[in-house]
Amino acid sequence: MPPSQAAAEHPIDATVWRVGGDAGAPLVPATGTGSLDGHTLAVKDLYAVAGHRIGAGNPSWLADAPVQDTTATAITQLLDAGAAIAGIAQTDELALSLAGTNQHYGTPPNPAAPQRISGGSSSGSASAAALGQASIGLGSDTGGSIRVPASYQGLWGIRSTHDAIALDGVQPLAQSFDTIGWMTRDADTLAAVAQVLLRHPATSPGDPVLNSEPALKIIPTLFDQVQPEVTEAVRAALTAQSGSGADGSAERSPQSPGSPIEEIEGVTPEMHAAWFEAFRIIQFREAWANHGEWIAHHWETMASDVGARFRMASELTADQEMQARALAAGARRIIRRWVGDEILAVPSAAGPAPLRADAALGGTVIEEHRRSTMLLTCLAGLAGLPAVNVPLRTRDHLPTGVCLIGPAGSDIALIHRAAAFHARIPAHQSYGSGVTETEIHETD
């Protein structure tokens, strides 16, 4: 269904859109023509759009925010390539969440699993893309805010190589990990955006280049954090690549061409936990440095879950940050060595999207799911590497995903490799070129 037709059939939903969202009247028209002619953007409410404020998912922040004089560089490039802005999409509060549950504006719909949450913090952008109300959901990814909602909603999504795309005009959360990312209903559109934004790959002399026939690597102990139905779906997708046995661990057979699967051994749960804690401390310290002064005068406006995280951030010390940075630097070297010129495959999230009924703000379900998921997502963040969500289905037809992590600067090649990966997966185990509200009928 074309985005304009889909949007015409859906009234403007304030949980998805803060400004705009009317397919018949784009918020900002294209400024040029090119490879993105006819495409529309749902812009996460962290990006500067000239003539509008940055709302950041909090009405008080919006009220204090100045009207922007200029538009973020990344958006300008997309407009020049022919895309138009459909509207400014809702985000989780100050982007410090992966759930999509916003106490002020509500939870955007998840058309692929209507009883479940959307995922965040690029929540409105993801829902707009999944609903067909925009063809490109433009967001950001610090700790998983592209990969998680893409996984929950059956979308393609990419976290770009750190520092590969200019972040000027984008409100920061934690600059050590912040990246631009986007979500689409098909791999071709994902790649088309990459061709516009990544004209100059972010590589350094000596950086590995993605192998033309890369092996797929997995970390078996990571699956200890993952719900069984997601483990099953990811293992099945890996098996489809290698022609290996049901556990996805054996080398490919001569009769079944594809990527071999290599297991990275000796990675303990304690190592995972220590790396995640280092990531969390750095992220929280930087988030507090960026927003603490404002939050200190607006605690009463913060949702309970996000407010609790900023409370923790306010209590962290410079010494804790220094120790975390030392550990993170070691993790970065190790993860990059693991990836090399191949691909590391990990589940994009620890489970399918939690049920809306269970997703009380700050509740146990969300917090436990957040931690388990970030044990997975922090790897690409710590290493500064690109990561693509390939949409999968569980046995019960719920959206999930496998995340393919490649070498620095390999973003475009990684998308093409992800598309080839997807093409090998049986149709009943994956999402195809798109997802509609009626494609999945949830039974739980």
Side-chain angles (χ1 to χ4, degrees):
M1 180 183 295
S4 59
Q5 181 182 348
E9 295 177 5
H10 289 75
I12 296 173
D13 185 341
T15 69
V16 176
W17 301 103
R18 185 178 68 76
V19 181
D22 182 352
L27 186 67
V28 180
T31 55
T33 62
S35 58
L36 298 181
D37 286 354
H39 283 285
T40 52
L41 304 171
V43 175
K44 185 176 185 177
D45 198 8
L46 297 181
Y47 283 77
V49 177
H52 297 274
R53 303 172 190 269
I54 295 175
N58 181 294
S60 296
W61 182 283
L62 175 66
D64 290 345
V67 174
Q68 297 295 308
D69 296 324
T70 59
T71 296
T73 297
I75 295 177
T76 299
Q77 292 173 335
L78 297 172
L79 293 174
D80 287 347
I85 298 177
I88 297 172
Q90 299 287 11
T91 178
D92 291 22
E93 195 169 10
L94 298 180
L96 194 56
S97 173
L98 291 176
T101 52
N102 186 307
Q103 180 173 292
H104 310 289
Y105 298 109
T107 301
N110 180 345
Q115 297 179 45
R116 295 175 182 264
I117 61 174
S118 59
S121 62
S122 305
S123 50
S125 300
S127 293
L131 287 163
Q133 297 178 11
S135 54
I136 300 161
L138 184 64
S140 61
D141 190 307
T142 304
S145 290
I146 289 288
R147 293 162 285 165
V148 172
S151 172
Y152 287 177
Q153 298 200 46
L155 296 168
W156 292 83
I158 181 170
R159 168 201 169 86
S160 58
T161 297
H162 189 252
D163 283 340
I165 304 172
L167 280 161
D168 58 297
V170 183
Q171 180 172 294
L173 175 63
Q175 289 92 326
S176 290
F177 308 121
D178 289 347
T179 63
I180 284 175
W182 55 97
M183 295 159 286
T184 64
R185 295 187 302 281
D186 61 85
D188 287 345
T189 305
L190 197 77
V193 176
Q195 292 286 355
V196 172
L197 294 180
L198 290 159
R199 294 190 182 100
H200 305 292
T203 57
S204 302
D207 278 351
V209 176
L210 185 63
N211 193 317
S212 60
E213 295 185 7
L216 293 166
K217 301 180 179 181
I218 64 170
I219 303 172
T221 51
L222 277 182
F223 289 87
D224 296 343
Q225 312 297 328
V226 177
Q227 294 176 21
E229 61 267 42
V230 172
T231 294
E232 179 185 44
V234 171
R235 290 284 192 175
L238 293 168
T239 298
Q241 312 304 310
S242 65
S244 61
D247 65 355
S249 62
E251 295 285 342
R252 61 180 169 181
S253 69
Q255 293 78 27
S256 181
S259 300
I261 308 298
E262 299 179 9
E263 293 190 353
I264 298 172
E265 301 290 357
V267 186
T268 65
E270 292 75 19
M271 181 185 294
H272 293 317
W275 286 359
F276 165 64
E277 182 64 6
F279 180 96
R280 186 189 70 84
I281 289 170
I282 296 167
Q283 179 193 35
F284 278 20
R285 282 279 293 180
E286 291 185 353
W288 185 252
N290 288 321
H291 305 313
E293 183 177 357
W294 184 88
I295 292 170
H297 295 90
H298 295 84
W299 283 113
E300 73 283 356
T301 75
M302 304 295 293
S304 58
D305 60 335
V306 177
R309 292 179 199 128
F310 275 109
R311 289 278 185 195
M312 288 187 283
S314 71
E315 296 167 357
L316 293 169
T317 67
D319 185 60
Q320 287 175 296
E321 181 182 355
M322 181 178 66
Q323 295 179 46
R325 288 193 181 277
L327 184 56
R332 177 186 177 94
R333 289 191 296 270
I334 292 169
I335 297 165
R336 287 193 168 209
R337 186 169 69 245
W338 285 344
V339 173
D341 62 355
E342 313 287 358
I343 291 173
L344 177 63
V346 303
S348 295
L355 289 164
R356 282 175 172 254
D358 293 337
L361 288 174
T364 302
V365 170
I366 291 296
E367 293 306 315
E368 289 181 353
H369 194 79
R370 171 185 170 84
R371 184 180 189 282
S372 296
T373 291
M374 290 194 70
L375 284 165
L376 307 168
T377 60
C378 74
L379 296 177
L382 287 165
L385 297 179
V388 173
N389 177 68
V390 179
L392 306 176
R393 300 180 196 267
T394 68
R395 182 189 295 270
D396 292 331
H397 306 294
L398 291 173
T400 188
V402 59
C403 180
L404 304 184
I405 302 172
S410 70
D411 308 54
I412 293 174
L414 185 63
I415 292 171
H416 292 309
R417 182 63 190 89
F421 180 102
H422 182 264
R424 291 180 176 273
I425 303 170
H428 69 280
Q429 295 174 349
S430 70
Y431 278 84
S433 60
V435 56
T436 69
E437 193 163 4
T438 58
E439 185 176 10
I440 297 299
H441 300 283
E442 194 170 2
T443 58
D444 62 355

